[in-house]
Amino acid sequence: MSSSARRRLINDFKRFEKEDSNGIFASPLSKNIMVWEAVIFGPEDTPWEGGSFKLLLEFTEEYPTKPPVIKFITNMFHPNIYADGRICLDILTNQWSPIYDVHTVLTSIQSLLSDPNPESPANAEAARLYSENIQEYYKRVKECVDNSWNA
């Protein structure tokens, strides 16, 4: 049952055990290494601080040649996160590289929280508020943070 994707995912998981997590935790489901759960804590000194955001990662046998499908399970209000939790991030699509591992991808997603790209919106309302009314945007983010522990 060993494949190159599964071997790579085992190595990715081992990296989590060795490195400083920096507020990122991930592990495969107990019976399926091709599906992972992850938690990203909101970066300090950002509106996302204090939040705990859950994600689901699904890998195919083509990993690491093809990126995983990653979605937030926690409800998010962010310019680059769709209502269904999918993430608009170039390294998950056209800028994917096999050198990226799970830790790298989740670190990029954590960084995206505090550094959105409103020019490439997945959520038009969040992008508009981020650009035109940052205080209202922060208020909506705070609601996500407050509700994140209930998800």
Side-chain angles (χ1 to χ4, degrees), residues 61-80:
E61 292 293 341
E62 296 178 273
Y63 179 78
T65 305
K66 302 275 183 180
V69 173
I70 303 176
K71 293 172 70 170
F72 276 94
I73 297 168
T74 307
N75 287 329
M76 302 294 284
F77 186 77
H78 187 280
N80 307 113

Side-chain angles (χ1 to χ4, degrees), residues 51-145:
S52 169
F53 308 103
K54 296 177 185 167
L55 301 99
L56 186 68
L57 296 76
E58 297 179 280
F59 301 87
T60 68
E61 292 293 341
E62 296 178 273
Y63 179 78
T65 305
K66 302 275 183 180
V69 173
I70 303 176
K71 293 172 70 170
F72 276 94
I73 297 168
T74 307
N75 287 329
M76 302 294 284
F77 186 77
H78 187 280
N80 307 113
I81 301 172
Y82 292 94
D84 68 0
R86 289 179 298 123
I87 304 160
C88 180
L89 182 62
D90 57 359
I91 68 165
L92 293 176
T93 56
N94 60 333
Q95 296 295 316
W96 175 256
S97 170
I99 64 167
Y100 298 137
D101 64 7
V102 175
H103 193 275
T104 303
V105 171
L106 291 174
T107 299
S108 295
I109 292 170
Q110 184 185 47
S111 177
L112 181 69
L113 290 180
S114 55
D115 190 21
N117 178 4
E119 302 304 315
S120 179
N123 179 326
E125 182 185 5
R128 183 185 60 76
L129 286 177
Y130 182 81
S131 298
E132 298 173 8
N133 187 346
I134 196 75
Q135 293 308 318
E136 182 62 25
Y137 172 76
Y138 288 159
K139 180 181 171 190
R140 298 282 297 271
V141 168
K142 176 86 170 90
E143 291 172 13
C144 290
V145 170

Side-chain angles (χ1 to χ4, degrees), residues 3 8 22 25 28 30 32 36 45 48-50 66 68 72 87 91 104 113-114 120 125 136 149:
S3 70
R8 171 64 185 270
N22 292 319
F25 303 91
S30 62
N32 187 356
W36 291 37
D45 300 320
W48 298 95
E49 182 175 14
K66 302 275 183 180
F72 276 94
I87 304 160
I91 68 165
T104 303
L113 290 180
S114 55
S120 179
E125 182 185 5
E136 182 62 25
W149 291 94

Side-chain angles (χ1 to χ4, degrees), residues 9-64:
L9 287 167
I10 290 167
N11 287 334
D12 286 4
F13 184 56
K14 287 178 181 176
R15 179 173 178 202
F16 270 98
E17 294 175 332
K18 292 180 192 167
E19 291 195 14
D20 184 14
S21 69
N22 292 319
I24 299 169
F25 303 91
S27 65
L29 297 179
S30 62
K31 296 184 190 278
N32 187 356
I33 195 154
M34 304 302 283
V35 180
W36 291 37
E37 292 178 321
V39 174
I40 294 176
F41 289 111
E44 291 182 10
D45 300 320
T46 75
W48 298 95
E49 182 175 14
S52 169
F53 308 103
K54 296 177 185 167
L55 301 99
L56 186 68
L57 296 76
E58 297 179 280
F59 301 87
T60 68
E61 292 293 341
E62 296 178 273
Y63 179 78

